[in-house]
C-alpha cells in the first residue's frame, strides 16, 4: 500500500496541464514553457516556418511531445492548436477604451489588468483605431471584438479583464414581489467574471421588487428584479371620475396590481366593481 501511494504522489505533478486552443509566439521555435510558463523543464515543441504568421497543428501531436518528456497534458477540449505570431502593436488606446466602457457600467469597479490578443497577425494600426465591442461586454471578463484597418477590413481580437466588482447580494431568503431595499441586500466584492445579466451594484433608482423567491447570499442581476407596480392588490387607490372639466375623486380598493396605463378592477365602498386605468402612484381613472 505504501509503495502504491508513493507512486501516486510521484505522478501528481505530471497532470493538471490543459492545452489551450490559441497561443502567440515571438520566436519560430516554440518551447514547452512558452505554453506552460510554470514548467521547470524546457524542451522544444515545434518549429514554425519563418514566413508563417499563423500556424495550426493537431493537439495530439503536441500532447505526444509532452508525453515523451514525462508530462501529461489534457486535450479533451481542443482538437487543434493555433499559433499566431505576436503582433508588434501597442493596444494601449484600445485598452483605455475598454477601461472607460467598463467604468461607465460600473463606476466603482476596480480594474487590475486588461489583456488583448489578436486572432491573427496585425502589423500595425492607426492612432485613431477603436474597438467595436458588443452589448455583453459589461457582463463578461473575456470576449471577442474587432477593429477596422485602413481598407475597412475587420480584424478580430480577444480581451480578458481582471478586476473586482461590488455587487448586491441578498442578506436572507427573499420572496417574490418583496421590495428590494437596503434592509434585505448587502454589497459584496466579487471577481469580475461572466454574469448571466448585468449585476446590480446599487439599489435601483425606482421602487423595484424581486421577480422570484431567492435564497440568502444570492448575487443579484437586473433579471432578478422588476419595477414595482404603481398600484398593488388590496391597496387603497384614489379614483378620478372626469366629466368635462370637472374631476370627482373617491377612494376604492384595487383588486389587481397594475403598472402605468394598465386597466385594472377596483372595488368601491358599496361593494360594486368597476374598470379603471392606472395613471399614477395609487391613482386610477374610472373607465
Amino acid at each position: 500500500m505504501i509503495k502504491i501511494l508513493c507512486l501516486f504522489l510521484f505522478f501528481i505533478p505530471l497532470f493538471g496541464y490543459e492545452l489551450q486552443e490559441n497561443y502567440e509566439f515571438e520566436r519560430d521555435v516554440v518551447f514547452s514553457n512558452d505554453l506552460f510558463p510554470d514548467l521547470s523543464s524546457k524542451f522544444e515543441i515545434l518549429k514554425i516556418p519563418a514566413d508563417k504568421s499563423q500556424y495550426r497543428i493537431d493537439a495530439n501531436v503536441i500532447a505526444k511531445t509532452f508525453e515523451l518528456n514525462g508530462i501529461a497534458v489534457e486535450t479533451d477540449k481542443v482538437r487543434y492548436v493555433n499559433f499566431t505570431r505576436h503582433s508588434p502593436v501597442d493596444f494601449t488606446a484600445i485598452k483605455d477604451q475598454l477601461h472607460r466602457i467598463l467604468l461607465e457600467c460600473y463606476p466603482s469597479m476596480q480594474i487590475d489588468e486588461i489583456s488583448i490578443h489578436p486572432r491573427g497577425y496585425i502589423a500595425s494600426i492607426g492612432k485613431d483605431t477603436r474597438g467595436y465591442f458588443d452589448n455583453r461586454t459589461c457582463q463578461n471578463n473575456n470576449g471577442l471584438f474587432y477593429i477596422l484597418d485602413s481598407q475597412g477590413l475587420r480584424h478580430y481580437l480577444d480581451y480578458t479583464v481582471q478586476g473586482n466588482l461590488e455587487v448586491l447580494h441578498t442578506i436572507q431568503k427573499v420572496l417574490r414581489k418583496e421590495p428590494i431595499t437596503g434592509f434585505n441586500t448587502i454589497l459584496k466584492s466579487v471577481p469580475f467574471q461572466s454574469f448571466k445579466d448585468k449585476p446590480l451594484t446599487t439599489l435601483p433608482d425606482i421602487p423595484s421588487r424581486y421577480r422570484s423567491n431567492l435564497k440568502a447570499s444570492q448575487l443579484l442581476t437586473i433579471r432578478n428584479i422588476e419595477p414595482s407596480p404603481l398600484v398593488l392588490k388590496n391597496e387603497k387607490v384614489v379614483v378620478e371620475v372626469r366629466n368635462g372639466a370637472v374631476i370627482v375623486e373617491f377612494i376604492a380598493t384595487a383588486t389587481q396590481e397594475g403598472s402605468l396605463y394598465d386597466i385594472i378592477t377596483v372595488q368601491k365602498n358599496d361593494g360594486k366593481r368597476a374598470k379603471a386605468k392606472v395613471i399614477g402612484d395609487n391613482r386610477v381613472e374610472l373607465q
Side-chain angles (χ1 to χ4, degrees):
M1 176 63 111
I2 295 176
K3 193 175 292 185
I4 294 174
L5 180 62
C6 290
L7 285 172
F8 175 72
L9 292 174
F10 175 76
F11 280 106
I12 283 178
L14 303 184
F15 293 85
Y17 294 103
E18 185 175 318
L19 206 58
Q20 303 300 308
E21 188 174 2
N22 298 290
Y23 292 96
E24 285 189 347
F25 69 95
E26 294 188 34
R27 304 177 304 273
D28 295 337
V29 179
V30 178
F31 292 95
S32 55
N33 51 9
D34 290 328
L35 276 58
F36 305 110
D38 59 335
L39 269 181
S40 56
S41 55
K42 179 179 180 180
F43 49 88
E44 184 178 316
I45 299 297
L46 77 159
K47 289 183 179 178
I48 299 176
D51 61 340
K52 295 287 187 181
S53 60
Q54 289 184 291
Y55 193 77
R56 190 186 194 201
I57 188 171
D58 192 310
N60 290 321
V61 174
I62 293 180
K64 188 65 177 179
T65 304
F66 275 95
E67 182 183 333
L68 292 173
N69 285 273
I71 298 173
V73 296
E74 296 290 337
T75 60
D76 293 344
K77 300 178 182 178
V78 179
R79 185 177 177 185
Y80 293 96
V81 178
N82 302 300
F83 290 91
T84 302
R85 190 176 297 277
H86 177 71
S87 299
V89 174
D90 184 359
F91 293 111
T92 301
I94 298 178
K95 290 180 181 180
D96 290 342
Q97 178 193 353
L98 180 54
H99 193 281
R100 291 192 300 272
I101 290 172
L102 292 172
L103 288 185
E104 285 176 4
C105 294
Y106 315 111
S108 60
M109 181 178 178
Q110 177 189 335
I111 300 174
D112 299 322
E113 184 180 357
I114 295 178
S115 303
I116 291 179
H117 300 285
R119 290 200 169 184
Y121 181 72
I122 301 176
S124 63
I125 60 174
K127 63 178 182 178
D128 297 324
T129 300
R130 60 184 295 268
Y132 292 85
F133 297 87
D134 64 30
N135 54 11
R136 287 179 53 85
T137 300
C138 289
Q139 295 170 222
N140 296 288
N141 67 329
N142 59 76
L144 178 69
F145 71 100
Y146 68 89
I147 60 175
L148 297 175
D149 63 18
S150 57
Q151 297 179 333
L153 297 177
R154 292 186 180 186
H155 296 272
Y156 287 91
L157 306 92
D158 294 293
Y159 72 86
T160 303
V161 180
Q162 294 181 6
N164 288 283
L165 193 61
E166 286 201 331
V167 181
L168 285 173
H169 291 66
T170 54
I171 294 177
Q172 71 270 335
K173 181 180 178 180
V174 295
L175 302 177
R176 178 174 175 265
K177 296 187 178 182
E178 181 179 341
I180 176 172
T181 69
F183 296 106
N184 55 31
T185 59
I186 188 172
L187 280 173
K188 292 183 182 180
S189 181
V190 299
F192 182 57
Q193 53 192 0
S194 294
F195 300 99
K196 292 180 179 178
D197 215 321
K198 185 179 177 183
L200 285 175
T201 57
T202 60
L203 288 172
D205 294 332
I206 60 174
S208 300
R209 64 184 185 180
Y210 296 102
R211 285 184 184 271
S212 60
N213 299 341
L214 298 174
K215 61 185 180 181
S217 299
Q218 171 76 50
L219 182 148
L220 298 175
T221 68
I222 58 175
R223 70 165 55 184
N224 296 127
I225 65 170
E226 62 185 4
S228 297
L230 295 176
V231 172
L232 296 175
K233 185 178 180 180
N234 297 327
E235 292 291 319
K236 296 295 183 182
V237 293
V238 176
V239 183
E240 291 186 4
V241 182
R242 294 178 178 269
N243 186 2
V246 178
I247 299 177
V248 178
E249 296 180 350
F250 63 89
I251 303 299
T253 302
T255 63
Q256 299 170 280
E257 66 178 32
S259 299
L260 190 63
Y261 304 134
D262 283 350
I263 303 297
I264 64 170
T265 302
V266 297
Q267 183 171 302
K268 304 175 185 179
N269 291 336
D270 61 5
K272 293 182 179 180
R273 297 194 173 193
K275 294 293 184 182
K277 180 170 67 176
V278 178
I279 59 173
D281 192 11
N282 293 323
R283 181 172 287 271
V284 298
E285 181 181 285
L286 198 65
Q287 297 299 288

